[in-house]
Amino acid sequence: MGEYKPPFHMTDSITNLVAAICEQVGRITVLSHGNLNPHLKKENRIRTIHSSLAIEQNSLSLEQVTAILDGKRILGNPNEIREVKNAYDTYELMLSLNPYSVEEMWGIMRKEAFPKDMRL
């Protein structure tokens, strides 16, 4: 079987639309105070991570991303697998931060809040 080629080319417009959709999903989550169905919340997080990384040329499928986040082993590029794990950890970290705390925001910019294996 040949490599799948989507019927579109990634453009700045598509990237901007995906970012806008992610922003709206974030707003809905904040407005609902996290009262979304936990399964739906997890599914949305997985789709967001997959879409965000696909924009950055990560070749892992939605099923592979789901398997990684479920703790299963998959065959794939180790760097792409690490990107998935780091993206998930980053979303988790963002949920634990106080957006009104200047100290926490400075800590993020200095990368103090990230685990050592996520730092550049």
Side-chain angles (χ1 to χ4, degrees):
M1 237 182 207
E3 185 177 318
Y4 173 75
K5 301 235 188 237
F8 60 88
H9 296 304
M10 203 63 174
T11 65
D12 288 341
S13 177
I14 291 173
T15 303
N16 291 335
L17 287 171
V18 170
I21 290 168
C22 290
E23 183 179 343
Q24 293 301 324
V25 169
R27 282 189 179 137
I28 290 169
T29 302
V30 168
L31 292 175
S32 69
H33 303 291
N35 292 332
L36 293 175
N37 176 333
H39 178 69
L40 180 61
K41 197 173 184 180
K42 180 180 178 181
E43 187 176 314
N44 285 341
R45 169 96 33 97
I46 291 169
R47 288 182 185 276
T48 300
I49 289 170
H50 174 256
S51 298
S52 297
L53 295 177
I55 290 169
E56 297 176 10
Q57 307 305 311
N58 187 307
S59 65
L60 297 176
S61 69
L62 181 59
E63 292 77 19
Q64 288 174 307
V65 171
T66 302
I68 291 168
L69 297 179
D70 285 341
K72 298 176 183 168
R73 296 180 139 227
I74 66 154
L75 292 176
N77 181 326
N79 290 330
E80 291 183 344
I81 294 169
R82 189 174 341 103
E83 284 178 346
V84 171
K85 292 176 181 178
N86 287 348
Y88 180 80
D89 291 343
T90 301
Y91 276 100
E92 289 297 309
L93 176 65
M94 288 181 352
L95 292 173
S96 70
L97 295 174
N98 176 0
Y100 301 106
S101 169
V102 174
E103 291 81 20
E104 284 187 21
M105 294 302 122
W106 277 111
I108 290 291
M109 287 190 268
R110 290 189 303 261
K111 301 178 184 161
E112 293 170 357
F114 288 99
K116 289 184 180 185
D117 62 336
M118 286 181 66
R119 296 180 190 171
L120 296 176

